Amino acid sequence: PRAQPRLQLLAGGFAGACAKTLVAPLDRARTIIQDTGWCGQRGSRKTVMGVCAKVFRGEGVAGLFRGNAVSVMKVLPCNALQFAIFNGLKEHTAGDKYSLTLAERLASGGVAGAVSTAACYPLDALKSQMAVSGGLRGGVVAAAKQLYLEQGGIRAFYKGLGPTLVADVVGTALGFTLYDTLTAAYRERCVGGRKATPFEKGVLGGVGACCSMTVTMPLEVVMTRMRVQGIGGRPVLYGSALECLRSIARKEGISSLWLGTTAAYVKIFPQLAATYFLFELAS
């Protein structure tokens, strides 16, 4: 039931962990494509299948899931917080009203994204640095220790936090709002007022996630570049997120700000569709 926040936490965390593992190879392909170590030259582009095949040849099946343990550690609390906070704020804000306004939905989603990102960002940064070519090796503890010792202590776990926070606040606000809006429109216009099934809600959630991801992709590219610079012999090129954004646009073209979009679509639709499906099924 929506009124039981602990069950909301469990349902959200369970759904996120399962969905994240499902698309782990695609997530690693997206990170590699956005990395300057693979796509530093203008005109040089990698395909999702090409990257996955290269990783498989060089590292085997385990390489396709490198960094996924950290992803699951991050997505469990992150998704749990997002769903619990968003639904809790919706219920608190709505009160006796039938539905929320657009601004209220966006605000609820934005707060959920901000809190979950701030709480879980160090694990996200660690995952990115384990996923790139030549990145951190070993288990989660060994990789975290290496990151701490080699890149300036605790600050290394917060590289790229600014663009990530903006991207996640915008993305979560849009994602949850589009999910609610699409679900309501589908119920009213497509199925004669009946409640959408968990599968149908999953599909609608995946569509909404792809739309919101398109808006935030430039920030995703920036945060990936910011996180991995200095790793595996990569030069430190950017002093700030804004400098990184300007440099990519000037040297590689505006289209480079959407590097990895295909990989992200292929990854994000099944991941978020599975997340919403499993959440609705579990809750």
Side-chain angles (χ1 to χ4, degrees), residues 26-34 127 220 224 260 263-264 267:
L26 300 174
D27 196 24
R28 186 161 188 220
R30 177 195 61 81
T31 301
I32 289 173
I33 288 172
Q34 292 177 345
K127 184 269 295 182
E220 296 279 346
T224 299
K267 168 232 171 186

Side-chain angles (χ1 to χ4, degrees), residues 13-188:
F14 164 75
C18 292
K20 192 69 172 178
T21 301
L22 176 69
V23 299
L26 300 174
D27 196 24
R28 186 161 188 220
R30 177 195 61 81
T31 301
I32 289 173
I33 288 172
Q34 292 177 345
D35 172 26
T36 51
W38 283 57
C39 287
Q41 301 299 318
R42 190 170 182 174
S44 174
R45 296 291 185 268
K46 303 293 180 181
T47 65
V48 177
M49 294 306 297
V51 170
C52 288
K54 184 171 182 177
V55 170
F56 178 76
R57 289 194 300 268
E59 304 176 38
V61 174
L64 295 172
F65 291 86
R66 197 167 120 200
N68 186 57
V70 183
S71 290
V72 171
M73 288 174 60
K74 177 247 179 181
V75 84
L76 271 167
C78 188
N79 270 48
L81 286 170
Q82 284 182 359
F83 277 96
I85 292 171
F86 177 71
N87 285 309
L89 284 174
K90 275 206 317 179
E91 292 176 3
H92 176 75
T93 304
D96 296 328
K97 293 188 296 183
Y98 177 73
S99 63
L100 297 178
T101 65
L102 176 62
E104 289 170 338
R105 287 177 178 173
L106 286 170
S108 297
V111 171
V115 173
S116 60
T117 298
C120 305
Y121 186 77
L123 291 170
D124 212 15
L126 183 61
K127 184 269 295 182
S128 291
Q129 300 208 33
M130 292 178 71
V132 295
S133 177
L136 301 174
R137 293 283 182 173
V140 175
V141 175
K145 184 177 179 180
Q146 182 184 348
L147 178 60
Y148 180 84
L149 293 175
E150 295 181 1
Q151 296 195 46
I154 202 70
R155 290 182 302 172
F157 291 89
Y158 291 90
K159 288 200 308 186
L161 175 60
T164 304
L165 194 59
V166 174
D168 283 2
V169 167
V170 174
T172 306
L174 287 176
F176 276 126
T177 300
L178 285 170
Y179 174 67
D180 271 7
T181 303
L182 290 172
T183 301
Y186 181 78
R187 181 177 63 246
E188 294 170 6

Side-chain angles (χ1 to χ4, degrees), residues 99-281:
S99 63
L100 297 178
T101 65
L102 176 62
E104 289 170 338
R105 287 177 178 173
L106 286 170
S108 297
V111 171
V115 173
S116 60
T117 298
C120 305
Y121 186 77
L123 291 170
D124 212 15
L126 183 61
K127 184 269 295 182
S128 291
Q129 300 208 33
M130 292 178 71
V132 295
S133 177
L136 301 174
R137 293 283 182 173
V140 175
V141 175
K145 184 177 179 180
Q146 182 184 348
L147 178 60
Y148 180 84
L149 293 175
E150 295 181 1
Q151 296 195 46
I154 202 70
R155 290 182 302 172
F157 291 89
Y158 291 90
K159 288 200 308 186
L161 175 60
T164 304
L165 194 59
V166 174
D168 283 2
V169 167
V170 174
T172 306
L174 287 176
F176 276 126
T177 300
L178 285 170
Y179 174 67
D180 271 7
T181 303
L182 290 172
T183 301
Y186 181 78
R187 181 177 63 246
E188 294 170 6
R189 302 180 185 181
C190 300
V191 291
R194 86 165 159 78
K195 185 178 179 180
T197 66
F199 176 78
E200 291 168 338
K201 287 186 175 183
V203 173
L204 294 171
V207 172
C210 288
C211 294
S212 64
M213 186 217 64
T214 303
V215 176
T216 60
M217 180 55 71
L219 293 170
E220 296 279 346
V221 173
V222 168
M223 74 183 185
T224 299
R225 299 281 182 95
M226 292 289 290
R227 286 174 184 165
V228 304
Q229 60 178 348
I231 289 289
R234 291 167 177 77
V236 178
L237 300 173
Y238 317 112
S240 68
L242 184 59
E243 180 186 348
C244 179
L245 185 70
R246 288 173 174 170
S247 178
I248 294 171
R250 184 176 66 254
K251 296 178 180 179
E252 303 172 40
I254 294 295
S255 63
S256 293
L257 293 171
W258 278 267
L259 270 177
T261 301
T262 301
Y265 282 142
V266 173
K267 168 232 171 186
I268 205 72
F269 180 83
Q271 179 186 337
L272 269 295
T275 297
Y276 283 110
F277 167 70
L278 290 168
F279 176 78
E280 294 294 341
L281 203 62

